[in-house]
Amino acid sequence: SSDSNLIRATIFPGDGIGPEIAQSVKQVFSTAGVPIEWEEHYVGTEIDPRTQSFLTWESLESVRRNKVGLKGPMATPIGKGHRSLNLTLRKELNLYANVRPCYSLPGYKTRYDNVDLITIRENTEGEYSGLEHQVVRGVVESLKIITRQASMRVAEYAFHYAKTHGRQRVSAIHKANIMQKTDGLFLKCCREVAEKYPEIVYEEVVIDNCCMMLVKNPSLFDVLVMPNLYGDIISDLCAGLIGGLGLTPSCNIGEGGIALAEAVHGSAPDIAGKNLANPTALLLSAVSMLRHLELNDKADQIQDAILKTIAEGRYRTGDLGGKSTTTEFTNAVCDHL
Amino acid sequence: SSDSNLIRATIFPGDGIGPEIAQSVKQVFSTAGVPIEWEEHYVGTEIDPRTQSFLTWESLESVRRNKVGLKGPMATPIGKGHRSLNLTLRKELNLYANVRPCYSLPGYKTRYDNVDLITIRENTEGEYSGLEHQVVRGVVESLKIITRQASMRVAEYAFHYAKTHGRQRVSAIHKANIMQKTDGLFLKCCREVAEKYPEIVYEEVVIDNCCMMLVKNPSLFDVLVMPNLYGDIISDLCAGLIGGLGLTPSCNIGEGGIALAEAVHGSAPDIAGKNLANPTALLLSAVSMLRHLELNDKADQIQDAILKTIAEGRYRTGDLGGKSTTTEFTNAVCDHL
Ligand SMILES: CC(C)[C@H](C(=O)O)[C@@H](O)C(=O)O
Ligand SMILES: CC(C)[C@H](C(=O)O)[C@@H](O)C(=O)O
């Protein structure tokens, strides 16, 4: 049943509410006539009976071959020694930049209006090295690793993104007043790249001050680029400004042009299988996948339909204070297409 | 001129606007009849001509002897190899816990009402170890150190604080899903201490999620305790919720009962000497020093006068959108005593 006019994309529905929200994306894509053929693989907390592992070789190969994919939430397998599957995917696929656009959704009121931020997070090193040990009893250490290679590529991605998306400013977020060598190297790389983009305003902001400014006045920022942990923190803070992780898309960019879009919220086991999940974050992530494929018309069309549905406010899932089911919300989006 | 009924307290006015806001504290204390005699020392970016250092032995001895002190902002001396004076003080005086109460100021409107949070930050280790090196060209690492000793003492301080201040809940903030050993040890210590305080609700919250929850609904939290860098980040975020660092007091607790209260905002060299600085953060820090001395009546009286002045809104400094001078604001506080 393979149609050569179709683009093949991998989909990992994931755990918990994953399958339901993935279903929502499939329905919306097929209603919109998106020329994509999904290649579905299961990655999650259940062991693949054939390979006895959580993440099969085929799953990884599928993303490597298709170069685009969409992933739902994955719970971390319980028990010691299991690395988070999210991290394993980032590492195995060399997903070096995590991009999270965060903008106010018209009609969904929070304390903040007109938020429009892009956080770009280094996704492979820093505090996430996994290198930790006990020095003596009661004294443990973790290593934060910053490399020129990873810092340059994420800085380049950030400035390229800013330029190609009509953004004015890139802020590098750091704590180089304390970690002069690691964050200092990160900043050095950002500065080097900034010189090649004289049309983009470049600034450096200490992370604590950045958080204070974000909650006081998020419109002071535009594109933010930063090491791994700061990106983890700041992207969630930004999500909070507009209503939470249920509303914010995310896309991971890898070497060789790979893009793996993902919903970064949890798998919400408490509501799984009950048709209550909000598919917005996965839908908007799927839209960012379409933009990566330069299917911008389809992307615009679907994004508009999602935003209209939220703006109308007639169909809202429980997390947004409504009573709609996943299906009702999805149907409403389809009706707007 | 030493009166044996007076309590001696050290004061480091610091750099920039430091002397002006320290003057404000002195005026308010003397108007309120606080039985304190100040022992003033200069610590800041100028080298002491006698000792050729930025921080004199006498300054440190003064705090060690008096056990209470108040410090204004200190700029970091320019040039390589100078550690931040703030950090040096924390290290030399073993100031292991940094306490920052953060509450909405009646009459000063922000996006948030009824914020009432206490962040308690481990202040001596973690990402602030200062241990960094280049492994090979283009690869650098920083060490984060967590010890049982420092984690236990800050956890004990946090629960003791919660209990003695009528607080219901202590949240330990961490990223132990990634830094299992370091943040894991921190959590283990918090859990151990929590068992001794069955009347206090204890919970653990991942830092990214904590930031999202704080911007969505800060009233979900009460007392927050955490490793150094997370404390740096979250305390500034919290300050942002209520209007910024110009309004939030801070107090450092050291071994042997030392308390060094401080304004954590910068030295604002651009407005220094112009009678434009907002003395609120230093005044409220001085109030926390009085509470440490159990001079609660004086503390209440002065705090009320500050809050009333802000609530009236007639005298506000430029940072709060007003046009008053430091002197006018200070006089207004004194008028309310
Ligand atoms: C689940 C966790 C390991 C992950 C992270 O820390 O990166 C998550 O918070 C995220 O932001 O994707
Ligand atoms: C000035 C800086 C070294 C300091 C810190 O990072 O601790 C400041 O941000 C603070 O919170 O007191």
Side-chain angles (χ1 to χ4, degrees), chain A residues 84 86-87 90 100 121 128 232 264, chain B residues 175 177-178 208:
Chain A
S84 145
N86 297 304
L87 296 199
R90 289 175 201 168
R100 299 203 195 167
R121 162 184 182 186
Y128 284 64
D232 180 51
V264 287
Chain B
K175 190 78 195 180
N177 48 342
I178 297 299
D208 44 340

Side-chain angles (χ1 to χ4, degrees), chain B residues 72-276:
Chain B
M74 287 165 195
T76 298
I78 291 172
K80 284 192 181 162
H82 290 303
R83 248 195 149 184
S84 143
L85 285 166
N86 297 305
L87 296 199
T88 309
L89 280 170
R90 289 175 201 169
K91 208 183 156 89
E92 291 292 329
L93 297 171
N94 215 342
L95 300 172
Y96 65 83
N98 178 244
V99 184
R100 299 203 196 166
C102 189
Y103 47 87
S104 301
L105 297 176
Y108 185 67
K109 258 197 92 55
T110 68
R111 293 184 166 87
Y112 298 85
D113 298 322
N114 303 321
V115 175
D116 184 13
L117 300 164
I118 311 284
T119 61
I120 299 184
R121 162 184 181 184
E122 200 293 320
N123 219 12
T124 64
E125 56 177 30
E127 307 76 358
Y128 285 64
S129 72
L131 299 168
E132 293 189 290
H133 76 289
Q134 174 173 305
V135 183
V136 295
R137 236 181 115 82
V139 179
V140 286
E141 58 185 35
S142 301
L143 278 182
K144 164 170 169 173
I145 312 278
I146 299 284
T147 68
R148 179 173 162 82
Q149 195 223 349
S151 304
M152 284 301 284
R153 79 184 163 183
V154 77
E156 266 155 11
Y157 185 83
F159 278 92
H160 178 77
Y161 184 100
K163 185 172 180 168
T164 53
H165 290 72
R167 298 274 171 172
Q168 317 293 318
R169 174 189 293 261
V170 171
S171 309
I173 312 304
H174 68 94
K175 190 78 195 180
N177 48 342
I178 297 299
M179 283 163 278
Q180 301 184 0
K181 291 194 180 161
T182 47
D183 286 5
L185 175 58
F186 183 82
L187 288 184
K188 191 164 171 287
C189 294
C190 290
R191 275 175 217 159
E192 235 176 280
V193 176
E195 296 212 335
K196 294 191 278 172
Y197 291 84
E199 69 280 24
I200 309 263
V201 179
Y202 171 66
E203 64 172 2
E204 297 170 356
V205 184
V206 180
I207 177 147
D208 44 340
N209 192 29
C210 175
C211 290
M212 188 175 68
M213 289 163 78
L214 277 170
V215 298
K216 285 184 74 174
N217 184 4
S219 65
L220 294 171
F221 295 102
D222 188 346
V223 175
L224 300 96
V225 63
M226 62 217 119
N228 212 338
L229 181 67
Y230 309 153
D232 180 51
I233 294 171
I234 293 216
S235 57
D236 273 33
L237 188 165
C238 292
L241 301 175
I242 65 124
L245 291 181
L247 298 172
T248 48
S250 153
C251 190
N252 296 288
I253 305 298
E255 294 282 9
I258 284 179
L260 183 63
E262 64 172 335
V264 287
H265 55 65
S267 58
D270 49 320
I271 58 162
K274 296 184 178 159
N275 200 17
L276 295 173

Side-chain angles (χ1 to χ4, degrees), chain A residues 26 40 52 108 112 122 143 213 241 315:
Chain A
K26 288 180 200 165
E40 183 162 330
Q52 294 295 311
Y108 185 68
Y112 298 86
E122 199 294 320
L143 278 182
M213 289 164 80
L241 301 175
Y315 297 100

